[in-house]
Structure formats: structure tokens, C-alpha cells
Amino acid sequence: MNRATVTQVDIAIVGGGMVGASLALALAGTAKRVLLIEAVVPDSAHQPSFDERTTALGNGSRRVFETLGVWPRLAAHAGAVTEIRVSDAGRAGAARLTASEQGLEALGYVVPNRQLGLALWQQLAAQPSIAIRNPAQLRELQLDADAAHLRVSTGSNTGTGGGSGSSGTTEIVAARVVVAADGAQSLVRAAAGIAAEIEDYEQVAVVVHVATDLPSAGIAYERFTATGPLAVLPLADGRYTVVWTLAPDRAQQVCALDDGAFGVALQQDFGWRIGRITRVGARATYPLRLSRAESMVGTRAALVGNAAQSLHPVAGQGFNLGLRDAALLAEILAAAADPGAPAVLEQYERRRAVDRRGMIGFTDGLVRLFASDRPCMALGRTLGLALFDLAPGAKRALSRLSWGFGGDTPRLLRGLPVN
Ligand SMILES: Cc1cc2nc3c(=O)[nH]c(=O)nc-3n(C[C@H](O)[C@H](O)[C@H](O)COP(=O)(O)OP(=O)(O)OC[C@H]3O[C@@H](n4cnc5c(N)ncnc54)[C@H](O)[C@@H]3O)c2cc1C
């Protein structure tokens, strides 16, 4: 790589999606020189992070966004979840978790990803200390013992497909550390030589917004069906967002149906708890796999969010976990004289281990438990849901998951700035 350094920074963040943009904001008040590189403009129809999905934010993530000053931009768009009802299709087992029982205003908040993107990037625009390249794409990365060297193409036609940028300029960046916030197919992770273990669930999530003749009133439903989990979450505007997990061929079939037939098929799998489906929005599909990087750090490199681990959406924990990666990494990097020093990065990996391992295991275990149709597993589920419904301790533990699975609680989750 051409070593003629044009830009010197302490921290280069590659990827300004949900996690990378949050990390940049967390570092905004610190003395570190930060550069954020994002391939797609935040309000583009092709933005892969801020698309038509919604994200269920836990109370821990709400606290982080309050501390970063983002929450006031989001609050009006956030559908509060005051109750969660879990059921196993075709079986008696069911459980209910309510916010009031836990002494909480809400168990979580459902936010459209597009609004999340706008809120994060509007807040970033108000931070002159964060240098931004957007649209700009990392093309090449070389990691040496003393610095990370990035070749970045900045311009109007960079795209994310790995093709060559056409009308832009090339910039060489030297950073003390590069942060991979570039998603599950992370180029930074590959360049750092960090392998990722991938397990294909052979399921596809069909995501769609629906309106019904009973407007949503804070109740979220998680229904485990023979094909996979079906989540129906309340939106702030009275509609619902649906994450319907299906085998790939069935997902293709239902997406090819017209709106009316799609509504009927969905209603057959879900039932009538939300009333009659009256309107069906555009559908988007997401193949589901568990991807887990073997390490969260490499030479002059740290991984956050989907670049570190990408989870099944069954428990709505992927982003919440990634935000805690960002919150703790920001705190550790801000306090370090050399933010890319091996001891600093090892500290990050060590302090994230419990939460990361716990949440990956919890999510994956849930998918496997409810995917099995072996009679003993099905009976275990029925009993498990019934016992859960009677066990205040288990409910309390579940409602506290959004603060992490254990280990370190980052300062931002405690309402404190990173330093
Ligand atoms: C159907 C579905 C529902 C979900 N629901 C929830 C939920 O309710 N709650 C929850 O907590 N999580 C949920 N998740 C998980 C959540 O979406 C992810 O955890 C989150 O998107 C991770 O964000 P990220 O910023 O790490 O990665 P991404 O969202 O993948 O963003 C990566 C960014 O990097 C950019 N980029 C990539 N390569 C380059 C490059 N070379 N140069 C520059 N930029 C680059 C991309 O343009 C993109 O903006 C869900 C996931 C799915 C699939």
C-alpha cells in the first residue's frame, strides 16, 4: 500500500451503521482524533443498517442513547413495549411478562431503523470533533505493529458491493487503531486475519409492517411455530412490525403472494390476537445465520457489533449487544495513551467476554429449543413456559437482560459519559 500518509488519526471507525455511528458519538467528547468512514449515505434507500426493519431497544440501550443525547430525537418514534406474551403454537404453554410487574415504564422500545439512522447521524453532524467520510469505502487495510493503514475511496459512487469507486478520490489514513463496525461480512475482520465461525440456521426472516383493526397497545407477541419464531411488535403509530421466521422456500412463497393472500397466510400462522390484518406493507427478507468472530481483537484492530457477532433476531438482542461493545470500547480507548496497544485491546476482549458469551449462548439456545419437534423437547417447552410464568425471579432476570448478561457494565449504561 502507498504509505504517503494524508490523514493521521487515533481511531478510525469503518462502518457508520447502527453500532459504528453510536461508537463515534460515544467518542465525541473525548480527546481522541476520530475518523468515521461509511460507504452509504444514511438516508439512502440502499443503506443496509438503516433499512425498513425496526429494532427493539432494551432499557440499557435507551439509557446509552439518553446519555449520548440521542434519545430526544428518537422518543416520538419509539413504541413502548409494556407487555410480552410468549406462546408455543399448538401447545398449552404460554407466559406473560409485564413492565408494571417489574416496576418499569416499559420492557423495551421498538424503533424504526430509518429513524434510528436519522437520529444518530443528525447527532453526529452536531459533533465537529468527529471527522466523517461519507460516502466513503475502505478498500484496503494493512495492520502493522505501530499503526493501521487504510486506503479509503471517498466520492459519490462508492457502493458496498466491493466494486471499484468511480468518481471519488483516494485517501490514505494512518490510525493507532481501526475499529471494525462494517457488519457481518467485515473487510476489517478479514484483513486482520480473524476467522468467523458461521452456522446457517436455514431460516429466513420475513420482515413486514401490518395494520390491523385493533391498533397496537404496547403488547409484543413472540409465538414459536413449527417453522420458527414469529414476533409481532407494537409500533408507535398503532401498527405492528412482524418478523416471521420461515424455511427459505416457504419465505419465497409467501413473499410472492399478493398483499391479501399474504395477510391470510400470516393470520393462519399467528392467529387473531391482534385483530384482523387490514394492510400489509413491503416485505424484506434476511437469511439467518450465527456468525461469531474467533476473537474480538487483532493487531491494531477491534471488532464491534455484527463484525464481532451476528445473532438470530429471535430475542431482539443483536444491536443491544453491539451497542454495549461500542460503549465499553469507547471507554477503554478514551482512557488509553495508545488506543491500539495490545494490552488495551486485550482488556476490551476480556471485559466483553461474559456478556458476549452469555448472549450468544442464550439466543442460540432459544432458537434450538423451540426449533426441535422431539416430544421430550416440546413437553419441556410447555413446562418451561408454565414454570417461567409462575417464577418472579426468572421474569426479573429476563427483564434485566438489556443491561447485559453479566460482567462489566459500561459507564454509558450507568448514565455516565465515557470519561
Ligand atoms: C430481521 C432482523 C431483525 C432484528 N431485530 C433486532 C432487534 O429487534 N433488536 C436488536 O438488538 N437487534 C436486532 N437485529 C440485529 C441488528 O440489526 C444488528 O445487530 C445491527 O444491524 C448491527 O449493526 P452494525 O452497525 O454492527 O452492522 P450493520 O448494520 O451491518 O452496519 C454495517 C455498516 O458498515 C458499512 N460498511 C460495510 N462495509 C464497509 C466498507 N468497506 N467501508 C465503509 N463502510 C462499510 C455498511 O454500509 C453499514 O452501514 C435484527 C436483525 C435482523 C436481521
Side-chain angles (χ1 to χ4, degrees):
M1 187 185 295
N2 178 359
R3 290 299 195 80
T5 298
V6 174
T7 309
Q8 298 259 8
V9 295
D10 296 312
I11 302 164
I13 304 169
V14 180
M18 294 203 265
V19 176
S22 303
L23 174 65
L25 280 177
L27 288 163
T30 72
K32 297 289 182 253
R33 294 165 303 167
V34 179
L35 176 68
L36 176 64
I37 301 153
E38 166 55 48
V40 186
V41 291
D43 56 356
S44 159
H46 306 292
Q47 222 300 330
S49 201
F50 311 129
D51 59 11
E52 293 310 316
R53 281 172 297 171
T54 58
T55 296
L57 298 175
N59 282 310
S61 298
R62 173 184 167 159
R63 174 72 63 80
V64 172
F65 284 145
E66 280 170 344
T67 316
L68 295 177
V70 178
W71 187 252
R73 297 182 194 273
L74 273 179
H77 308 282
V81 177
T82 51
E83 184 174 333
I84 300 175
R85 294 186 190 170
V86 184
S87 58
D88 197 2
R91 302 203 161 254
R96 179 182 296 225
L97 184 65
T98 64
S100 57
E101 230 172 54
Q102 304 303 320
L104 297 169
E105 176 191 308
L107 295 163
Y109 298 86
V110 183
V111 180
N113 285 18
R114 285 209 184 283
Q115 293 300 337
L116 191 50
L118 285 181
L120 289 169
W121 276 77
Q122 278 168 359
Q123 191 75 1
L124 273 173
Q127 312 295 329
S129 66
I130 304 292
I132 295 176
R133 303 288 185 270
N134 176 236
Q137 193 166 359
L138 173 72
R139 296 287 179 189
E140 205 185 328
L141 174 64
Q142 188 177 311
L143 298 163
D144 297 337
D146 59 342
H149 303 276
L150 298 82
R151 189 166 67 82
V152 177
S153 47
T154 307
S156 57
N157 192 16
T158 51
T160 46
S164 60
S166 55
S167 57
T169 56
T170 296
E171 182 179 7
I172 304 296
V173 177
R176 316 289 296 263
V177 66
V178 61
V179 180
D182 51 349
Q185 313 291 330
S186 173
L187 176 59
V188 175
R189 187 182 67 215
I194 302 171
E197 196 187 315
I198 315 270
E199 273 176 68
D200 194 338
Y201 288 118
E202 291 171 14
Q203 290 179 338
V204 169
V206 177
V207 177
V208 64
H209 293 349
V210 299
T212 69
D213 57 7
L214 284 179
S216 63
I219 304 176
Y221 301 87
E222 182 89 56
R223 185 155 176 79
F224 290 93
T225 74
T227 56
L230 201 179
V232 178
L233 309 173
L235 292 171
D237 63 8
R239 290 180 303 157
Y240 289 93
T241 183
V242 175
V243 183
W244 191 7
T245 312
L246 295 164
D249 51 348
R250 175 77 179 135
Q252 211 178 0
Q253 272 168 15
V254 298
C255 284
L257 297 172
D258 63 33
D259 288 359
F262 179 89
V264 170
L266 176 59
Q267 200 108 51
Q268 266 166 5
D269 265 25
F270 181 71
W272 295 85
R273 297 161 197 78
I274 56 172
R276 191 174 60 84
I277 295 171
T278 53
R279 236 168 341 109
V280 172
R283 296 150 230 170
T285 55
Y286 300 83
L288 300 179
R289 19 188 110 81
L290 167 63
S291 154
R292 179 176 17 195
E294 277 175 4
S295 169
M296 290 185 93
V297 298
T299 305
R300 297 271 156 195
L303 275 48
V304 291
N306 270 16
Q309 65 277 316
S310 120
L311 312 184
H312 193 293
V314 60
Q317 292 296 333
F319 173 67
N320 290 293
L321 181 65
L323 187 62
R324 295 196 293 279
D325 292 343
L328 190 74
L329 184 63
E331 174 180 329
I332 291 171
L333 297 184
D338 175 359
V344 173
L345 299 179
E346 279 159 23
Q347 190 194 146
Y348 168 60
E349 169 134 67
R350 190 177 64 250
R351 290 175 62 187
R352 285 300 297 140
V354 175
D355 188 18
R356 180 174 190 245
R357 197 171 44 237
M359 202 53 84
I360 293 174
F362 170 73
T363 301
D364 188 48
L366 210 55
V367 177
R368 290 177 195 287
L369 173 67
F370 281 94
S372 173
D373 51 11
R374 279 164 49 203
C376 59
M377 296 285 269
L379 179 64
R381 285 199 306 258
T382 307
L383 282 172
L385 284 174
L387 285 174
F388 175 83
D389 206 38
L390 294 171
K395 288 187 175 183
R396 209 165 30 249
L398 195 69
S399 70
R400 286 199 55 79
L401 269 192
S402 83
W403 300 93
F405 215 89
D408 260 303
T409 303
R411 287 171 61 86
L412 286 170
L413 262 90
R414 289 185 265 134
L416 303 168
V418 294
N419 68 358

